Amino acid sequence: MNRFFTYIIVFCALFSTFACQTKEGKVANKASETKDSWETASWIAPNSAKDTINQWAVYRREFVIDKEIPESALANLAVDSKYWLWVNGKMVVRMGGLKRGPNPNDTYYDSLDLKPYLKKGKNVIAILTQFFGKHGFSHNNSGKQGLIFDLKWNELDISSDENWKAWKHPSFGMTSGPHPNYRLAESNILFDANKGDFSFVNENFDTSSYQSAKIIGKYGDAPWNKLVKRPIPFWKDFGLKEYENRLSYPFKSVGDTLKMKLPYNAQVSPYLKIKATQQDTIHIQTDNYRGGGTPNIRAVYISKPGVQEFEITGWINGHNVHYYIPKGIEVLDLKYRETGYDTEFAGAFSCEDPFFNELWKKARRTLYITMRDTYMDCPDRERAQWWGDVVLESGESFYALDRKADALTQKGILELLNWQRKDSTIFSPVPAGNWDKELPGQMLASVGYYGVYNYFLHTGDTATIQQVYEPIKKYLSLYKLKDDGTIQVRQGGWIWGDWGSNKDIPLLMNTQYYLALKGLHLLAETLKKDEEAQKIAAKMKVFKKSFNDAFWNGEAYRSRDYKGLTDDRSQTLAVVSGLADTDKFDAIYKVLKAEKHASPYMEKYVAESLFLMGKDSFALKRLKERFGKMVNHPTITTLWEGWGIGKEGFGGGTINHAWSGGGLTLLSQYVAGISPITPGYKTFMVKPHLGELKEVSASVASVQGQIDVEIKRTENLQLSVNVPEGSRTKVVLPKEWTPTFLDNKEITADSQELWLESGNHTIIAK
């Protein structure tokens, strides 16, 4: 699927404290620092700087501290596009900076405390920067390389100016073709060890022959404009590690390709240590180099005589790293460094069926590998924040990860709406410099119940929804009703719907529109916009009747002019949105037993509708049938874009696509039954849908604290739950079970529902 997946959810640039409303209702980013905090800092660049593709530069500043270092030495730093920072020879930041685009004009900056690295006497700050120099599906190129740095206290001021040295790093350059496909802002990495090294980070490095930096702008100047504080953590660094198939070092290369095995599909920076007698060319890439069918990112290292080591500046992904090392080179060591978004695998799920355990595990791995500067559809072909994907990814994150992951969802929501155009349209992926097409279906999903509202439901973050409410309302105002009361299909830039065949587009868009109205209605209620909430509710009521009058034919939902097989996706969206009442469930269930057209992206809603209709066993059966091939694959640790691999998939799909991970959410939310009732888990539900399963356990790291559920079903049903402090839970047992004991005390209950306060509880039911 040469990438143009599309989705919507609404997420964009920063924390709520860094955004505000403009008069037009647009979300406007505000830097957490005022302009005065950058007052002595200038944008600087090497005198010989070029603003072309893939430029690498070195910046260095020496200074003396003759007084006590204060409690914190907060430095602010911005570049287009990435940087590596050392203080006194010690690495402080690896791959710093965020891809550009909190909005169409501005630039992100990083803030970090340098106190642990500074000392009395001479100090040295050294920075390596990479200027992508081109747009991508996740980066908006400023068109001009540069660096701005702010650090001062008392009379000491080492902010960026002519006192810095700056020069082009001579070792980095452009490889020959093929180059990464146009969706990627990154270039291949070429490093020629004969032309230079990394000695510039050393404290005693001699800079006397290097020129001073030139000033090219001040804070707020174009093309970088305002600076917006990085809203997500710096990357987690797992350190250099041995490959799974570690070789016996040293050995002489025979000139073949070494295929080094990673423990799972990961974001890695490969490393080598060699001894060479001459200049030779080493090629490094992964087995995912053509993941998705097009060239991605690879590295070329040109050796010099002697012992040397090199680690790729940047990251690539795959299950295996391939090193082509010319004959005669002595290989002293090969390793890799995994980096990734800084979050913990805090959630869990298990049951007695190993298939569902593996589905949950592979979905989590796929989710993690598609998180970095933004949520991504895939980490190889595109690295793009398509909002259809983000809706599912963010939903998975609430069950699989700790709450540091929420910052990436919030960033995505704010970015999506900060890129809203004057005509009120929104589009994804953003940030982007070479994409501007609106995919209406994905946009409706992003701003709707499963997008923005689901973020609010799990986090309780009212400040963010206050910022995005008006932009969402403006976008939904673009959808017009026809004479029959249903919406007219909005063309946008690309009517996508889903991969695969038998897509009933009018039906899909109407169901997605209703889900968007549902989300807006709930946001209006939360923000106490009572009059607006009432109007939206009335509109939903009329729309629901019009929808059913127009599309229900007695056996299924269908558009009048649609000629294909009945679209399973649309039936399920009608169920999960509430458009379909219970009297239609039997007919829809019959359709879902016969029709299987949904992609892995839409299959999540198919299974969810089955749980909601009380068809738990068939929901699990269909998940196993549809995802069996990828879950049971013996070597691929991630879930795929399509139902097959390569030509078996959607025209060359990737093997790491988080839109396929909806089963993770379903297993935690429905099978284990854990879901918030009120925003931020002040109250939550435990309502298991076990199907044929006998033993289920799950953990969720909610914003209120850890929730643990364990269910065992024999002749009795035993359910244990840990309710965090400050929360209450409503336990709803399967209808055939009546609670008889609560915390070892016999009880008499006239229903399957129990409300429990914080603490550890165990229910026995017969």
Side-chain angles (χ1 to χ4, degrees), residues 53-82:
I53 293 175
N54 196 29
Q55 296 294 308
W56 296 78
V58 174
Y59 298 83
R60 185 176 163 101
R61 178 72 156 86
E62 299 179 8
F63 57 99
V64 174
I65 297 177
D66 56 10
K67 295 183 179 180
E68 289 296 324
I69 302 171
E71 284 302 309
S72 68
L74 192 65
N76 296 325
L77 168 60
V79 300
D80 181 351
S81 310
K82 292 288 180 180

Side-chain angles (χ1 to χ4, degrees), residues 341-371:
Y341 190 89
D342 187 8
T343 185
E344 300 297 325
F345 289 179
F349 174 88
S350 66
C351 65
E352 78 270 18
D353 189 330
F355 175 87
F356 296 112
N357 298 338
E358 188 67 10
L359 171 60
W360 201 94
K361 179 181 176 182
K362 285 193 174 185
R364 182 181 62 186
R365 169 53 45 190
T366 314
L367 170 65
Y368 187 66
I369 204 175
T370 53
M371 300 171 68

Side-chain angles (χ1 to χ4, degrees), residues 476 513-522 536 539-540 543:
L476 292 182
Y513 174 73
Y514 188 77
L515 278 166
L517 282 182
K518 182 178 180 179
L520 186 68
H521 174 251
L522 291 167
I536 298 168
K539 186 175 185 177
M540 291 173 65
F543 183 87

Side-chain angles (χ1 to χ4, degrees), residues 79-93:
V79 300
D80 181 351
S81 310
K82 292 288 180 180
Y83 72 88
W84 291 251
L85 170 68
W86 295 261
V87 175
N88 296 323
K90 295 180 180 178
M91 176 165 275
V92 179
V93 177

